[in-house]
Amino acid sequence: MTFRYDPFEQMNRLFEQTRQSVWDGVDTNVSVEQTDEGYVVMADLPGFEKEDIELQFDDGVLTIEGEVAVDETAGQATHRRRRTVHERLSIPGPVLVDDITASYHNGVLEVTLPTEEDAGDTHRIDID
């Protein structure tokens, strides 16, 4: 078995580490699936509490925002930094705004957006 060194893979890994250290962002690993009833959005948000996350649906766009303070201890020094997330997802079909649901368990946010033919308006979404 031969191992081939890939400098581009190492470069991508370094860029990603730099981006995370500079922006203190969170990689949300968001997925959107279309079902017979509408759309299901899944986002990995480890370390957040549901109270730290704000969801809003406005004019066909689902916005996921959150912020949490993280304390890191190394020896006797404690460092505090903020972790933030900001995702905006365009939902291609009309959505039944009053029937949008969201749940958050074990660091995974799941938002269900049922569709209909005529929908619209802004709606704040509570997380269960």
Side-chain angles (χ1 to χ4, degrees):
M1 180 175 170
T2 60
F3 175 75
R4 187 169 183 174
Y5 175 72
D6 184 359
F8 294 106
E9 181 180 333
Q10 183 178 7
M11 186 174 64
N12 284 338
R13 194 172 32 244
L14 289 172
F15 279 133
E16 181 60 25
Q17 289 172 352
T18 303
R19 183 190 65 78
Q20 286 182 352
S21 68
V22 169
W23 297 107
D24 282 338
V26 177
D27 184 11
T28 55
N29 193 24
V30 175
S31 67
V32 179
E33 291 184 26
Q34 186 171 8
T35 66
D36 292 337
E37 293 82 30
Y39 297 92
V40 176
V41 176
M42 303 282 283
D44 292 334
L45 299 171
F48 285 82
E49 298 294 329
K50 76 176 190 175
E51 294 80 18
D52 301 328
I53 304 167
E54 178 78 24
L55 292 178
Q56 190 170 33
F57 185 78
D58 183 20
D59 198 25
V61 177
L62 176 66
T63 303
I64 304 170
E65 293 182 316
E67 184 174 2
V68 64
V70 178
D71 293 330
E72 297 174 348
T73 303
Q76 294 181 342
T78 300
H79 301 285
R80 177 171 236 168
R81 64 184 180 113
R82 293 201 155 315
R83 294 179 63 209
T84 60
V85 62
H86 182 83
E87 293 286 337
R88 291 176 49 91
L89 305 165
S90 276
I91 306 300
V95 173
L96 271 169
V97 176
D98 292 332
D99 293 338
I100 297 173
T101 59
S103 63
Y104 184 70
H105 299 287
N106 297 326
V108 178
L109 175 68
E110 181 176 345
V111 183
T112 304
L113 302 125
T115 58
E116 73 166 359
E117 299 209 11
D118 299 319
D121 280 335
T122 300
H123 184 71
R124 187 180 183 317
I125 305 160
D126 294 326
I127 302 172
D128 293 331

